Amino acid sequence: MRRKLEKFVDPLPEIRLLKPYKKNKDGAHYEMTMKQFRKKLHRDLPATTLWGYNGQFPGPIIEANRDEPVHVTWLNQLPNKHLLPVDLSIHGLDQMPAVRTVVHLHGIETKSDSDGHPEAWYTNNFRETGPAFSRKTFTYPNHQRGSLLWYHDHAMGITRLNVYAGLAGMYILRDKQEEALNLPAEDYEIPLMITDRSFNDDGSLFYPSQPDDAAVNLPNPSILPAFNGDTILVNGKIWPYLEVEPRKYRFRILNASNTRSYRLQLDSNTLFQQIGSDGGLLRCTVEMEEISFQPAERIDVIIDFSKAAGQSITLKNDLGEDADPNDETGEIMQFRVTKSLKNKDSSHLPSALSVIPSLKQNNVSAIRYLKLVGSSDEFDRPLLLLNNKHWYDPVTENPQLGSTEIWGFTNTTNFSHPIHIHLVQFQVLEHQPFDLEQYNIDGKIIFTGPPQPPAANNRGWKDTIEAPAANITRVIAKFAPYSGEFVWHCHILEHEDYDMMRPYIVVDEDEYDEK
């Protein structure tokens, strides 16, 4: 067991902004290289070997403007041996190189060949490539609202390991409408990437090679059904602190953990003013005492420290420390209101933020009910599936380009899953509870209550949503602006890797007729 690390001894790192190497009429051009490097993550922990974009964890921030395209050449210069234990028993990984990468910009609307398809992987210097690989430079058109997106690895069967090793970073898309609101900006707008990890005494990353209760006949290494680290990091530092002025700050917060969900709270009776979610600004500011968020979700909040001069305020995780008194994950970071006010705070916290037209007015061309199912594999390991289909089964979801559909995620497992659909931002319609015990007896859905509207802070544009156990979660999406093959999956990375991910195809009828 690793020794306990003292909390709040390291300052919060500022994540560097990446500058384009050229800008022209086609947009901004970037190069990002995945490298192995070493970094101290805590004052009292030896340096940790990590993988990172441009040798940083988190990767550098890309900042873009709406309607100005961004082109990124993603280069793999990682070693041939993986940092972490690779299970070769799934997805034919024994026939593939151990270290493969492909980047998905999570939340972007882009063509399928720039989306980071799991089989578009490639190795160091593109020596080997996967069956869906077609290009080295990805293009992001940015024809969408301002929001916090994030880029991370998406390689088939090893996403959980590549992201855990450090392959994640943030991408901020800005637009004029948001700028006109005079929200806290520049030094007072701070991105926070929250992750969890476990470490060995020598500072190296710890990730189990098998489940704790591993059966004798399991492959070694063997994939885990879930993994929560015992240590919380923000912007790549373990339990950091941030010195702030007594004024309003805007925090763009991302849950980049593999499995762990958080329920954020501030002590000292301080409240969050939530202004945005995955797909940008909400309609109105929502005052929140606590905010739950699942892996891959983003929340955009304003915290007002103006009445807290001299105080220390802790960002807490109400989901930590419940079951185990030794669990230290109930705290995330500390804000110290110790800086003097540089200038008068002239930023605003508007009550009305943006216009979000309801997709319910659209003509709905299909309603699909998609089951989240628990089963077992030949080794008696948990195997979680979407609609009882494996990754390699034929595609069953084929929305037409420009059509609007309702997808109902029927969660027949006994825990929540954060469901992410590539290409689209959707709207959450409702969650409706059903009798799971009865379903397990005869497969019938018997509702135990009326549909519940989404929480006030989930009524904007979303690309990832919690589908609670024993509920049907209905979302509505317009499948545009691109046709092609995309994926949808659970964003618990251990589930996504095995086998809770499915391809879907947006069909362009005009294109089809031409063929």
Side-chain angles (χ1 to χ4, degrees):
M1 190 66 187
R2 175 190 50 74
R3 64 187 178 280
K4 285 198 172 186
L5 296 170
E6 193 178 337
K7 292 181 178 173
F8 318 135
V9 296
D10 290 299
L12 177 80
E14 187 180 342
I15 307 173
R16 277 178 250 159
L17 199 63
L18 187 65
K19 297 282 186 222
Y21 68 83
K22 75 172 178 189
K23 269 190 161 184
N24 55 23
K25 63 180 189 340
D26 299 331
H29 297 255
Y30 295 84
E31 199 170 82
M32 193 90 81
T33 304
M34 300 161 231
K35 298 175 184 169
Q36 182 165 296
F37 66 104
R38 287 172 64 75
K39 180 186 177 186
K40 267 185 82 70
L41 305 179
H42 186 277
R43 181 193 69 187
D44 302 327
L45 194 66
T48 302
T49 300
L50 297 163
W51 289 357
Y53 296 102
N54 281 10
Q56 294 169 227
F57 169 63
I61 291 173
I62 293 178
E63 195 171 85
N65 293 315
R66 185 172 185 165
D67 298 324
E68 292 179 11
V70 160
H71 312 272
V72 187
T73 304
W74 302 98
L75 300 169
N76 177 342
Q77 289 185 3
L78 294 167
N80 295 329
K81 185 176 187 312
H82 211 291
L83 265 184
L84 300 167
V86 179
D87 180 353
L88 301 178
S89 72
I90 60 173
H91 290 304
L93 297 195
D94 56 336
Q95 305 299 312
M96 296 184 208
V99 176
R100 294 162 286 113
T101 60
V102 62
V103 181
H104 170 54
L105 178 53
H106 182 119
I108 196 71
E109 297 168 7
T110 190
K111 292 182 178 176
S112 58
D113 61 359
S114 288
D115 186 56
H117 189 285
E119 295 191 320
W121 55 261
Y122 49 94
T123 63
N124 187 311
N125 211 21
F126 303 102
R127 283 190 198 98
E128 293 181 72
T129 58
F133 177 85
S134 64
R135 56 190 304 164
K136 297 177 181 179
T137 300
F138 285 7
T139 294
Y140 307 117
N142 296 322
H143 296 315
Q144 60 194 94
R145 306 165 95 235
S147 58
L148 172 64
L149 311 178
W150 68 297
Y151 59 90
H152 62 82
D153 189 74
H154 214 273
M156 193 74 215
I158 54 169
T159 295
R160 70 196 184 284
L161 305 176
N162 289 353
V163 172
Y164 192 84
L167 292 176
M170 292 194 261
Y171 182 108
I172 297 176
L173 181 55
R174 302 205 177 274
D175 67 22
K176 290 186 170 61
Q177 183 229 336
E178 189 180 301
E179 279 166 25
L181 293 174
N182 192 24
L183 299 165
E186 296 180 347
D187 291 348
Y188 307 107
E189 179 192 14
I190 299 176
L192 302 175
M193 180 193 282
I194 302 177
T195 56
D196 62 337
R197 300 287 186 269
S198 290
F199 299 94
N200 298 306
D201 272 338
D202 65 358
S204 60
L205 286 172
F206 171 75
Y207 189 94
S209 58
Q210 289 191 316
D212 286 344
D213 53 355
V216 181
N217 65 336
L218 273 197
N220 192 7
S222 174
I223 192 163
L224 313 177
F227 181 65
N228 287 319
D230 59 14
T231 307
I232 307 295
L233 298 85
V234 187
N235 294 0
K237 274 287 179 195
I238 295 169
W239 290 305
Y241 67 86
L242 175 67
E243 292 188 88
V244 295
E245 297 174 27
R247 52 156 293 150
K248 294 190 291 296
Y249 280 75
R250 180 183 185 183
F251 294 100
R252 317 286 291 261
I253 312 177
L254 158 68
N255 180 356
S257 302
N258 280 25
T259 293
R260 185 180 290 280
S261 297
Y262 299 86
R263 192 159 61 225
L264 303 182
Q265 287 180 331
L266 294 161
D267 62 11
S268 310
N269 298 317
T270 309
L271 298 174
F272 301 103
Q273 308 293 332
Q274 186 167 347
I275 59 170
S277 61
D278 303 344
L281 294 174
L282 299 169
R283 288 187 178 91
C284 304
T285 299
V286 182
E287 189 168 81
M288 304 284 286
E289 285 182 30
E290 57 180 36
I291 304 175
S292 297
F293 79 144
Q294 299 263 323
E297 288 189 296
R298 283 88 70 208
I299 54 177
D300 191 346
V301 297
I302 289 177
I303 303 175
D304 189 349
F305 298 108
S306 60
K307 297 192 173 92
Q311 294 181 35
S312 290
I313 295 171
T314 303
L315 177 63
K316 300 178 94 71
N317 170 30
D318 193 34
L319 293 179
E321 299 180 355
D322 284 350
D324 178 1
N326 294 316
D327 186 344
E328 296 186 88
T329 60
E331 293 174 314
I332 295 172
M333 66 174 290
Q334 189 179 72
F335 301 106
R336 296 177 183 169
V337 194
T338 48
K339 283 185 164 180
S340 52
L341 195 61
K342 262 192 217 159
N343 300 297
K344 183 168 180 267
D345 181 6
S346 58
S347 66
H348 286 292
L349 175 55
S351 55
L353 296 163
S354 74
V355 175
I356 299 176
S358 170
L359 292 180
K360 285 194 277 190
Q361 314 310 317
N362 292 10
N363 177 32
V364 174
S365 59
I367 299 175
R368 303 177 191 268
Y369 284 95
L370 304 157
K371 283 185 179 151
L372 284 50
V373 181
S375 64
S376 304
D377 70 5
E378 72 270 30
F379 299 107
D380 212 25
R381 296 182 291 192
L383 174 61
L384 292 151
L385 300 173
L386 298 171
N387 240 14
N388 244 340
K389 304 276 187 205
H390 295 262
W391 166 255
Y392 292 113
D393 288 332
V395 170
T396 47
E397 287 71 55
N398 298 279
Q400 289 181 13
L401 180 64
S403 68
T404 299
E405 296 194 353
I406 291 173
W407 288 20
F409 305 121
T410 306
N411 186 353
T412 70
T413 74
N414 59 4
F415 43 86
S416 286
H417 297 271
I419 299 297
H420 171 45
I421 309 176
H422 286 219
L423 175 68
V424 298
Q425 293 285 335
F426 53 75
Q427 291 170 5
V428 184
L429 297 175
E430 61 201 17
H431 305 278
Q432 188 167 12
F434 63 88
D435 186 334
L436 186 54
E437 209 172 300
Q438 189 63 41
Y439 174 84
N440 286 331
I441 293 167
D442 58 15
K444 288 186 179 146
I445 299 282
I446 296 169
F447 292 114
T448 56
Q452 299 297 313
N457 64 327
N458 282 334
R459 292 180 192 171
W461 291 106
K462 296 282 292 167
D463 53 48
T464 307
I465 189 62
E466 176 180 3
N471 270 261
I472 296 181
T473 297
R474 297 183 182 92
V475 305
I476 185 168
K478 182 177 179 181
F479 289 86
Y482 303 107
S483 60
E485 184 171 309
F486 298 90
V487 300
W488 67 284
H489 57 86
C490 174
H491 219 288
I492 291 174
L493 299 184
E494 283 73 12
H495 297 176
E496 172 185 335
D497 275 345
Y498 188 57
D499 197 15
M500 214 171 186
M501 177 164 62
R502 289 283 293 145
Y504 80 93
I505 294 175
V506 179
V507 179
D508 182 347
E509 287 203 320
D510 296 339
E511 204 176 83
Y512 188 75
D513 290 344
E514 283 168 22
K515 287 175 185 171

